Amino acid sequence: MRPLAHLADRDDAVAFDAFDILTSPALRDVARGPLHRARHAGRPCYAPMGQRWCDDCEATFDDLRLSAFQRLRSALKGPIPTTRSGEPVRELVLLRTHVTSPQAQYEDTAALAPALRRRPSKREHPWLRAARAQLVHYPVRYLEERTRRADAVQRGAAAHPDRDLRQAAWAAPLRSDPVMLDMLIYAVFAVRRGTTTLFEVPDDLRQRHDLSRAEATWRLRDALIALRKTNPAFYHANIDDLTLGPTVDQAIDPQTLLEQAGDREVSRSRLRKILADPTTGAAYRAIIKSICEADRAHPTVPVQTAARSLHLTPEKAHDLINQLAREVAKAGLDWTIQLAETS
């Protein structure tokens, strides 16, 4: 048994052992989501062997444990940290009072640990609620953002790319166009969040500058091309070319990738608009599905479907299929199939 009172032991090793038993399960629960989103696109994180996380996430978790432990030990040994108004942090006062009380000698940290993993309850002891807030949730605040920034800096990216774009002398030409500046700030943070749909510009950003989806895609593409020309080092450190498409030939020039990605998003925007039409959307859905399912054995099926669904002559149906096939090719076959099935 490791008594709760060991948290206040003079020996840091004894205190940390009790602290680890009490807080680590709950701290790992709370840190899991932010770390997995920051480093693994929300997917589970596993070590090559065993049940632990990857080395990077385990190292971050160790830092969190140490930070929380030092915060507790500081509150137990010295003055209680204060709020902005100068008042002692009430939760740390409650925690210190209980940990140093005679009752703590008889409380088992292992038995208390599951309680920290549960949601707060009005029926639980105030000190336990205080421990959860200060030793579990407080260390994890802004963890996802902090992890993304630290990892980006380790890769050579800017710690505050938005500040560089707004203030750096080299970025002055980019700031001459407010739309370009906003697009670049959006892009660097979208890439940092691990986006796979960089060119799907958020609606609020489009509406702020009165842009259609296609216009926003092209403005973003042009902004990234301008950034690459203005500061190639900043571009390569903060914009990963792998985000520009699902499969990338690294021999292709990045500007070509940007142009291809822009074309892809424009085509996707057009296909969305076509299928959303309340009058002809259903007919076009059947036509686009026939294009996606066409094979060499039945090459005329899409033309026949278009002629029948939209009452077109064979010549006009053939022209329409050629046009739609180009859009499907640019948008991506798998993406178009999913769109046709779900729209």
Side-chain angles (χ1 to χ4, degrees):
M1 170 180 168
R2 292 288 183 181
L4 186 66
H6 277 192
L7 293 177
D9 195 277
R10 292 182 179 180
D11 188 333
D12 282 345
V14 172
F16 185 79
D17 193 19
F19 174 85
D20 189 43
I21 294 172
L22 175 68
T23 64
S24 282
L27 189 59
R28 189 175 287 272
D29 287 346
V30 176
R32 179 179 291 108
L35 287 178
H36 291 184
R37 288 192 298 272
R39 289 200 171 112
H40 306 286
R43 294 185 295 272
C45 165
Y46 299 111
M49 298 180 63
Q51 300 299 316
R52 292 165 62 85
W53 294 339
C54 70
D55 288 345
D56 288 339
C57 288
E58 286 292 344
T60 301
F61 178 69
D62 287 342
D63 290 342
L64 291 173
R65 285 194 304 170
L66 182 59
S67 174
F69 177 68
Q70 291 173 339
R71 180 173 177 79
L72 172 64
R73 295 290 280 178
S74 176
L76 292 173
K77 291 181 177 180
I80 295 286
T82 59
T83 64
R84 292 181 180 179
S85 62
E87 297 293 325
V89 176
R90 179 176 175 275
E91 291 164 333
L92 289 176
V93 173
L94 288 172
L95 190 53
R96 183 168 74 174
T97 300
H98 186 79
V99 168
T100 56
S101 69
Q103 181 182 348
Q105 293 283 353
Y106 306 100
E107 293 180 314
D108 184 5
T109 51
L112 292 168
L116 281 186
R117 304 179 73 175
R118 294 194 289 266
R119 296 178 63 85
S121 168
K122 293 182 179 180
R123 293 177 295 179
E124 67 185 2
H125 293 291
W127 79 265
L128 190 61
R129 191 178 308 115
R132 184 186 297 107
Q134 290 295 319
L135 305 181
V136 176
H137 290 283
Y138 183 84
V140 181
R141 71 199 189 287
Y142 313 125
L143 177 60
E144 183 175 348
E145 178 184 344
R146 288 187 282 122
T147 301
R148 290 187 190 279
R149 182 184 299 123
D151 289 354
V153 171
Q154 189 174 21
R155 294 193 303 267
H160 301 283
D162 55 329
R163 184 175 61 192
D164 292 347
L165 290 168
R166 293 183 189 279
Q167 299 178 6
W170 62 262
L174 304 175
R175 293 194 293 271
S176 62
D177 183 348
V179 178
M180 180 179 294
L181 178 61
D182 283 353
M183 288 290 178
L184 291 176
I185 291 173
Y186 151 72
V188 293
F189 283 113
V191 170
R192 186 164 294 184
R193 290 193 301 271
T195 183
T196 58
T197 55
L198 177 62
F199 284 88
E200 293 184 8
V201 179
D203 290 343
D204 61 332
L205 180 54
R206 290 193 304 101
Q207 293 166 3
R208 187 188 314 160
H209 296 290
D210 194 24
L211 299 172
S212 67
R213 292 185 184 276
E215 289 170 337
T217 295
W218 283 106
R219 292 303 300 270
L220 175 56
R221 189 209 69 160
D222 291 344
L224 291 172
I225 291 174
L227 174 62
R228 180 173 175 267
K229 291 179 178 178
T230 302
N231 191 332
F234 184 93
Y235 171 87
H236 288 296
N238 293 277
I239 304 294
D240 181 1
D241 287 332
L242 292 176
T243 66
L244 303 181
T247 57
V248 174
D249 180 354
Q250 292 302 303
I252 298 177
D253 182 80
Q255 182 163 331
T256 302
L257 293 177
L258 290 167
E259 292 172 351
Q260 291 175 347
D263 290 341
R264 181 177 64 247
E265 293 306 322
V266 169
S267 291
R268 290 180 176 183
S269 179
R270 289 171 178 165
L271 290 174
R272 288 193 196 95
K273 185 175 181 180
I274 289 171
L275 295 184
D277 189 294
T279 304
T280 60
Y284 273 100
R285 186 176 299 107
I287 296 169
I288 289 173
K289 282 185 176 181
S290 71
I291 292 174
C292 295
E293 297 168 357
D295 55 36
R296 293 183 179 180
H298 305 88
T300 62
V301 169
V303 176
Q304 295 169 356
T305 303
R308 182 176 62 254
S309 301
L310 297 176
H311 309 291
L312 301 176
T313 64
E315 293 77 11
K316 289 186 177 180
H318 187 272
D319 291 342
L320 176 63
I321 293 302
N322 284 339
Q323 178 185 347
L324 289 176
R326 286 193 292 269
E327 300 291 0
V328 170
K330 291 179 182 179
L333 182 60
D334 291 340
W335 182 91
T336 306
I337 291 173
Q338 184 177 7
L339 176 69
E341 291 177 348
T342 58
S343 61

